[in-house]
Amino acid sequence: MLTVTNLTSERDDRILFANLNFSLHAGDLLQIEGQNGSGKTTLLRILCGLSSHFSGKIYWQNQDVSQQLPNFLQALLYVGHHAGIKAALTAEENLRWMQRLHPLLNRCTITEALNQVGLYGYEDVPCYALSAGQQRRVSLARLYLSSHPLWILDEPFTAIDKKGVLEKEALIVKHVQQGGMCILTTHHDFDLPKQTIRRINLDQLAHTITSVDTTPSYLVSV
Amino acid sequence: MTPKRKQRMTIALLIVFGTALIVGLVMYALKQNINLFYSTTQIVKGEAPKDARIRVGGMVLKGSLQRDPNSLHVSFLVTDTAENVKVEYTGILPDLFREGQGIIAQGKLDTQGVFQADEVLAKHDENYMPPEIAESMKNAKPTTEAKP
Amino acid sequence: MNIKMPKWFYQLASPKWSYDIMGMLMPWFGLAALLLLVTGIVWGLMFAPPDYQQGNSYRIIYIHVPSAILAQSCFMLMAVAGIIGMVWKMKVAHIVAKSAAPIGASMTIIALSTGAIWGKPTWGAWWVWDARLTSMLILLFLYLGIIALYSAFSNKASGDQAASILTLVGVVNIPIIKYSVEWWNTLHQPASFTLTKKPAMPPEMWVPLLIMVLGYYCFFAYVLMARTRIELLEREHKSGWVTALLTDTP
Amino acid sequence: MNFLNAAIKRELLLALRNRSEIINPLAFFLLVITLFPLAVSPEAKVLANIAPGIIWVAALLATLLSMDSLFKNDYDDGSLEQIVVSPQSLALLALGKVISHWLSTGFLLALLSPVLAVMLFLPSEAMPALVGSLLIGTPTLSLIGAIGAALTVGLRKGGVLISLLVLPLYIPVLIFGAATVQAGALNLPISGHLALLGAMMVFTLLLAPFAIAAALKLSIRN
């Protein structure tokens, strides 16, 4: 479904990764690993069309993404570092706006989603009055609402307590088992069959690459 | 891809409609005299507002320049060859100011229909020529016009 | 948008090819500029007859008019380069636009200052808030804004695109600015040269002016290519052809 | 169009929750006008003469002042990213933001202007011209300003740069806006002036949303 060929990214004269190739099918989970500054976030942003610092091609359903951007964005749910949550609005107002933006946030009602993330009773509290963890939950309530086939999550478990992490992991596993795709940056181990989990370690990539011209294309093993 | 085509249609329609609106508004505006520039004929006819700072343009009529020997006060007639308007001004005139030359004066009309200028600018045109040619042309065509 | 262009157009997109082509053309433009400018300036300042009204002071026209023409042509060039860069993702076009901006700004400054020097004896004022002068001043501000925008982005490709957007917005606005200030106040004379009308000057006055304008264009092309080549080297410093170039030439 | 509506509503709601954004430009407008009688001359005749220009310059600067924050918050908290990764049109959202920005600045400035006109002894005949020119002229200012704001939103020191980019483009609006009020004060017809201001508004309304969207994408992908 999602295929990436010869993806190379260079930032401020430093090559983050080069000639990255992988493809992701329904029911696959892709974990991006690496140290801070290894380019994890950049890679996710490139995939979402949020960064132009790359060369190479990205295909969605065998078509170049740049040729059919609206189609691709229709299928994509992205949760980044910055959640896109307005502090002055309540949890419900925030999620209602998200639904406006993404028509596929339609799996359940907002109240149900807020219940799921443990924010029952906080619907009408402005987000600036919530703790960092609670704000993160508001943003992750989208996962419960979402029926997007492709999830791209950047460090989804930061600022969330242990119980919350377990719940989100279960949710991601369920999403993948139901035929969804998920790309995320985290070191957690997921309770999924081995063949459906792929890993890309950007540190290893960076070490094996000396120059763009000489390196043969690097294929990620299953 | 119907929604996409529909969106494109809407944008195209909006652009056509908007352009028509712009053209209409500009055409309407052009019909109004909005830069407060009046010819001497318009002023004589009384089309120019009193008490408003307006501009008058035209040629300085030959032989109409009168300088006050004790001050910088000058008066002259400005013409568009059909009608004349008297202009009064106190101050230093630009070098290019001379009889027969095109000028623009800014100021107000007083109750007697005399233009009280607070600024006189010599308008020099895009014609340049050597003095000999100008001389010969002047001899050939003795008019108020210095322009060949 | 996908419009098929002739082959040379795509070759232009290659930094190496354009670097080489410009290197070949540069000396010719430099020579032409030198010849034309020297001829024009000597002819215009020493041999052209004085004006019947303004005497010798009109001679500043030989500096003033070409720089004013160039200032505007340069902006148009930047807008066209911006469109090409945005539509066909051509890096070289952006680099040309970026290299042209400071030249255009300098030309505008020359036009404004020579205009002021000329204005004092003829109009009686160094500066008047007239249509032409004001719109040239605004053009200078636009140039400065574009140059500032280029340097504000640490990422050069982003700076290119941002400046292209601003250039296009500016170019759309220039007729409006001109129109608005024209209605607002007018003093400056109409254009000395138009394509449709015979020049309103005798040949012994306009021929040197024409030579000066052509000389300015050649000079502009020369400086533009020199600047573009340096910028190309800087941006491509890691690519093979620049390394080869630097190691080949002792 | 539904989306445009929702975007305007959301922005207005945000402005209402954060009232300083509404009050600051108005207070600035009032203060700048107050400076002139103190600095130039308290004489009624002098003030009446320069009032059209002063009020218009002050309105222009007040609009410019509020421009910096137009996209800044959305950029910082990730809201802009969410819009770019959504299938909704960025141009339409930008238009919505500009419309609500205008409602909370230019529109209110126009409503406030008669009070200032009285303070500056502007003849009462000029009131319709003043309010009318501000109502038709300030949307153009908001639209053009938004292009500058979008171009500089990702830059650390964008604030000063906006003025440099935007002020030259503001000049036609200023010329015709102030000329309308001057004509009104002299009891001359103002319909021609208003028609020109209207033409400029329609023109920017057609083109600016696309320029803003392109600039925003560029700033995000940088």
Side-chain angles (χ1 to χ4, degrees), chain C residues 124-146:
Chain C
W126 293 103
W127 178 264
V128 281
W129 288 96
D130 139 89
R132 192 70 75 82
L133 279 73
T134 311
S135 55
M136 279 303 270
L137 187 65
I138 297 169
L139 185 69
L140 178 65
F141 291 153
L142 285 174
Y143 272 125
L144 294 182
I146 290 165

Side-chain angles (χ1 to χ4, degrees), chain C residues 63-83:
Chain C
I63 314 270
H64 175 75
V65 169
S67 37
I69 292 177
L70 252 292
Q72 291 166 47
S73 310
C74 180
F75 204 87
M76 293 307 295
L77 176 100
M78 284 167 61
V80 172
I83 292 176

Side-chain angles (χ1 to χ4, degrees), chain B:
Chain B
M1 289 272 90
T2 11
K4 202 173 171 186
R5 280 185 73 173
K6 202 175 144 197
Q7 198 189 351
R8 278 192 187 164
M9 274 294 284
T10 322
I11 291 176
L13 274 176
L14 276 176
I15 287 174
V16 170
F17 179 73
T19 316
L21 195 60
I22 293 169
V23 171
L25 285 169
V26 171
M27 298 287 274
Y28 174 79
L30 283 175
K31 276 196 195 155
Q32 323 279 320
N33 181 9
I34 69 165
N35 63 359
L36 299 183
F37 182 90
Y38 294 92
S39 71
T40 51
T41 310
Q42 283 173 307
I43 289 176
V44 171
K45 277 193 192 152
E47 285 172 24
K50 297 260 160 42
D51 294 333
R53 192 164 188 268
I54 59 167
R55 303 189 296 152
V56 58
M59 223 70 76
V60 181
L61 195 70
K62 289 237 150 167
S64 70
L65 181 65
Q66 289 172 350
R67 287 182 195 266
D68 183 343
N70 300 320
S71 71
L72 289 172
H73 186 85
V74 290
S75 76
F76 53 87
L77 291 175
V78 171
T79 181
D80 63 354
T81 67
E83 299 283 357
N84 303 340
V85 169
K86 190 174 183 195
V87 176
E88 289 186 353
Y89 174 70
T90 306
I92 298 167
L93 291 165
D95 284 5
L96 265 191
F97 181 91
R98 56 198 65 169
E99 293 181 349
Q101 176 69 40
I103 60 126
I104 290 176
Q106 304 217 25
K108 287 176 179 172
L109 273 180
D110 66 12
T111 40
Q112 281 92 48
V114 175
F115 193 81
Q116 300 294 341
D118 48 37
E119 194 175 10
V120 173
L121 299 166
K123 187 174 169 65
H124 98 88
D125 52 40
E126 72 272 35
N127 298 305
Y128 303 83
M129 63 177 84
E132 316 80 81
I133 299 180
E135 198 60 38
S136 66
M137 286 185 74
K138 221 189 279 173
N139 294 338
K141 204 170 66 170
T143 58
T144 53
E145 247 185 325
K147 241 165 83 173

Side-chain angles (χ1 to χ4, degrees), chain A residues 3 11 30 45 51 53 71 92 97 99 121 136 171 176:
Chain A
T3 308
R11 199 71 221 258
L30 175 66
R45 290 178 66 87
S51 174
H53 298 277
N71 267 350
E92 197 182 342
W97 172 249
Q99 283 186 322
R136 191 74 191 158
L171 184 67
V176 172

Side-chain angles (χ1 to χ4, degrees), chain A residues 45 49 78 84 86 93 100, chain D residues 74 77 81-82 88 221:
Chain A
R45 290 178 66 87
Y78 169 69
K86 282 278 169 210
E93 284 164 344
R100 269 277 175 197
Chain D
D74 283 1
D77 68 16
E81 271 176 20
Q82 279 304 322
Q88 306 293 350
R221 289 180 181 162

